[in-house]
Amino acid sequence: MSPFWSPAIRSLTPYVPGEQPVERLIKLNTNENPYPPAPGVGQALRDYATDHLRLYPDPSSRALRQTLADTFDVALEQTFVGNGSDEVLAFAFQAFFCHDAPLDAPAITYSFYPVYAKLYGVELRQHPLDERWEVDLEAMSVDTPRSGVIFANPNAPTGHAHPLEAIEALLQRVTDRVVLVDEAYVDFGADSAVALTKRYPNLLVTGTFSKSRSLAGLRLGYAIGSAELIEGLQRVKDSFNSFPVDSLASLLGIAALKDQAHFEACRNSVIATRERTRQRLEALGFEVLPSQANFVLAQHPEFEGAQLFAGLRERGILVRHFNTDTLANFLRITIGTDDEMDSLLEALESICR
Ligand SMILES: *Cc1c(COP(=O)(O)O)cnc(C)c1O
């Protein structure tokens, strides 16, 4: 605890991302995509004129945002991009949730939300998941006053996604503050709420290029919402860093968005592998929560989560284990290639035998 730190910094609990190992492990712990980015991304990188790096990028990222607008069938003014969706989420907390009232969020969800809440001094009102491990949208829309509502759909690390009707019903109940739907995993089988942004001016949808576009290393995320919400995000961005998205990231992001066929082929493979993996885990006695994401959350009635995690690690396979009361018995397993999942299942078979 350094005396040089500001008081608020002393009490923070920073987010701890899943490990990025230096050894060669089968890496199923941070929900990266097992397939490479679209071929056009490599081509754009090879064609890039290095001299261009002398210049600052476009502060408004107009070309990337226009491609995003075309992809999602929204207006340019409805789009925002940032250095990973984590940054976009941080801007959203500052732009919309700093009111003198608690923020409604699920008790089990993306663990960065409590970190941002602490950073920005936002009180959280956390709602337990229901008996099926689903986000309780009813409960999140009851108490007032509130500073807003935030949840991931599909939720992390459970994988369940609500249908659009349920999200629209929530939007009809919550009109006074921003409702933020984090769609980091939406492309793996859930319905996107983007179309609802045209009718609900308080709906902000965030997304990322890290998972379904195979670009976690590039750091690109986005938000889609009404022009007034986007302007709020821009005000925060332009008070913090005018250039969060660099020239290369813009160019490569555009190349990724333009290859719809590659995108669909990769996500269909992940979905098919997820279903095979689920069946085989169940055959080994695991309880697997239904998932519309690129991971599954699973527990075994006879083995502790920590024990399975350690056994897999010994066999060169890295999954995610959360050391919290509610999740300690579970493993969150990212869906990799079929070969990677075969190795996982063989390892689990030998541990459980
Ligand atoms: C991975 C993830 C993000 C962050 O994505 P980046 O764009 O890589 O910062 C945001 N929300 C959820 C729920 C995620 O799982």
Side-chain angles (χ1 to χ4, degrees), residues 50-346:
T50 314
D51 186 53
H52 219 75
L53 291 175
R54 284 187 308 109
L55 305 175
Y56 281 107
D58 168 15
S60 72
S61 301
R62 194 187 174 91
L64 173 60
R65 287 173 49 229
Q66 187 59 59
T67 311
L68 204 57
D70 296 343
T71 306
F72 286 99
D73 193 24
V74 296
L76 177 68
E77 298 69 37
Q78 283 192 266
T79 62
F80 181 85
V81 291
N83 186 244
S85 69
D86 285 340
E87 185 187 73
V88 177
L89 288 166
F91 289 169
F93 265 73
Q94 206 167 14
F96 309 122
F97 297 149
C98 293
H99 301 281
D100 200 11
L103 172 65
D104 289 295
I108 297 177
T109 187
Y110 187 38
S111 46
F112 227 134
Y113 306 153
V115 176
Y116 290 133
K118 191 87 189 269
L119 178 63
Y120 293 113
V122 176
E123 188 195 334
L124 275 185
R125 185 159 46 215
Q126 293 179 299
H127 302 276
L129 302 190
D130 70 14
E131 67 291 346
R132 287 178 302 179
W133 296 90
E134 296 177 9
V135 171
D136 191 342
L137 292 181
E138 291 278 343
M140 292 213 297
S141 58
V142 175
D143 302 311
T144 52
R146 65 171 71 85
S147 69
V149 176
I150 188 170
F151 60 97
N153 197 59
N155 193 30
T158 51
H160 171 266
H162 280 289
L164 272 194
E165 302 79 70
I167 292 173
E168 182 154 20
L170 171 87
L171 287 162
Q172 279 168 0
R173 295 191 297 268
V174 179
T175 53
D176 56 333
R177 296 290 190 207
V178 167
V179 173
L180 194 161
V181 183
D182 179 345
E183 294 193 346
Y185 300 106
V186 77
D187 295 326
F188 300 105
D191 292 328
S192 172
V194 161
L196 297 178
T197 61
K198 293 183 186 173
R199 280 185 287 130
Y200 296 91
N202 62 326
L203 169 63
L204 191 74
V205 174
T206 61
T208 176
F209 287 65
S210 298
K211 277 88 184 218
S212 59
R213 303 273 172 183
S214 306
L215 289 171
L218 192 65
R219 311 307 302 130
L220 263 187
Y222 59 85
I224 295 176
S226 62
E228 61 189 296
L229 294 192
I230 298 306
E231 192 187 337
L233 290 173
Q234 277 161 354
R235 290 172 72 94
V236 175
K237 167 196 151 296
D238 291 328
S239 307
F240 178 79
N241 177 3
S242 307
F243 308 104
V245 176
D246 62 74
S247 321
L248 261 173
S250 278
L251 208 66
L252 305 186
I254 291 169
L257 286 174
K258 287 202 163 152
D259 196 337
Q260 191 65 15
H262 177 84
F263 165 72
E264 277 171 22
C266 293
R267 86 158 159 203
N268 289 339
S269 297
V270 169
I271 292 169
T273 304
R274 177 184 71 209
E275 293 315 306
R276 266 198 297 279
T277 303
R278 184 176 55 77
Q279 285 167 12
R280 291 180 59 192
L281 284 169
E282 283 172 355
L284 285 176
F286 280 87
E287 180 204 348
V288 185
L289 300 193
S291 168
Q292 283 152 290
N294 67 338
F295 56 81
V296 290
L297 193 68
Q299 64 177 340
H300 198 287
E302 289 153 42
F303 299 91
E304 282 177 13
Q307 185 189 357
L308 293 170
F309 173 86
L312 286 171
R313 172 99 216 201
E314 263 167 43
R315 290 164 176 79
I317 299 171
L318 195 53
V319 297
R320 192 85 194 260
H321 177 248
F322 298 95
N323 238 332
T324 63
D325 292 347
T326 36
L327 295 177
N329 213 39
F330 285 94
L331 297 179
R332 192 198 65 191
I333 304 167
T334 302
I335 302 303
T337 61
D338 280 322
D339 281 353
E340 288 173 325
M341 302 326 273
D342 284 348
S343 303
L344 168 90
L345 288 149
E346 278 162 31

